[in-house]
Amino acid sequence: MLFWKTRNKRFDLDSFLRGVADITNPEGDAEALRARKTPRFPRSFPVLLVPIEGQQPVWDQSSFGLSQDLSMHGMGLVVSRRLTHDQVLLGIWPTNELLTAASSQPGFIFAQVCSQTEIGAGFFRVGLRFTGMLSDDHAGYSRLLELAKALLPPEQLLAYKRARNQTAGIAD
């Protein structure tokens, strides 16, 4: 009897999860897919968001989001509050087992907010269109670099700090 109940519960769970997967397509509905000129790739990684107002960063309103998908022209993000500016500067620091923070650097991309949809529990799905890249000689680059360190997992941040200390001749 207990086995039968467990089996029924497993069937209910499988059925529920199949339904969730069917209605939560990360690439959007079929109409949205046809409207896109370039394919999107599902990718999840943390992203720094710095609002831009009058071509100046609004540092005290900086926040973080989680990428949902990525294309050559834009990105979908999930954020924990509605964005209040139409322009943002994104910080992205891609790393993995082979490309470490010690051997890479973040990129900072200007983007236009194209859409925002509340998805529940205080979260919003944001559509962004890329408009340009910030050069590393920009006056705000060092401040962005400091903020971008929060994008790194702890072991990557440690590797980054060790590499910088070695370059500067500072012992661990």
Side-chain angles (χ1 to χ4, degrees):
M1 187 71 165
L2 181 60
F3 174 74
W4 183 254
K5 285 183 181 180
T6 302
R7 188 172 179 179
N8 280 342
K9 287 180 183 181
R10 183 69 218 185
F11 178 78
D12 291 344
L13 175 61
D14 291 350
S15 178
F16 176 75
L17 293 176
R18 207 174 7 264
V20 169
D22 288 346
I23 65 170
T24 57
N25 182 352
E27 296 187 28
D29 61 22
E31 186 176 321
L33 287 174
R34 283 191 297 276
R36 290 189 174 142
K37 294 178 182 171
T38 58
R40 295 213 172 204
F41 305 98
R43 298 291 184 267
S44 295
F45 51 86
V47 176
L48 169 65
L49 291 155
V50 180
I52 301 293
E53 187 174 286
Q55 299 193 349
Q56 295 299 316
V58 184
W59 298 110
D60 62 341
Q61 292 183 28
S62 299
S63 62
F64 296 91
L66 188 63
S67 69
Q68 184 177 25
D69 57 38
L70 177 67
S71 80
M72 298 306 291
H73 303 287
M75 173 183 277
L77 295 177
V78 175
V79 296
S80 61
R81 65 179 185 199
R82 182 178 292 281
L83 300 181
T84 57
H85 294 80
D86 293 335
Q87 303 284 328
V88 294
L89 185 57
L90 300 174
I92 300 172
W93 202 331
T95 61
N96 61 24
E97 318 67 55
L98 301 175
L99 180 65
T100 68
S103 62
S104 69
Q105 62 182 17
F108 300 103
I109 302 169
F110 291 103
Q112 172 76 38
V113 176
C114 297
S115 64
Q116 285 193 78
T117 306
E118 188 169 4
I119 58 175
F123 290 97
F124 292 82
R125 183 179 305 124
V126 178
L128 300 171
R129 182 176 46 84
F130 301 145
T131 59
M133 191 95 182
L134 183 83
S135 66
D136 59 1
D137 62 353
H138 187 275
Y141 187 85
S142 61
R143 189 163 185 185
L144 286 166
L145 181 60
E146 284 304 308
L147 289 171
K149 289 177 185 176
L151 299 171
L152 298 173
E155 68 278 357
Q156 290 280 0
L157 182 57
L158 183 60
Y160 173 81
K161 288 179 179 179
R162 282 186 181 142
R164 296 300 171 251
N165 286 346
Q166 282 181 337
T167 303
I170 301 169
D172 277 337

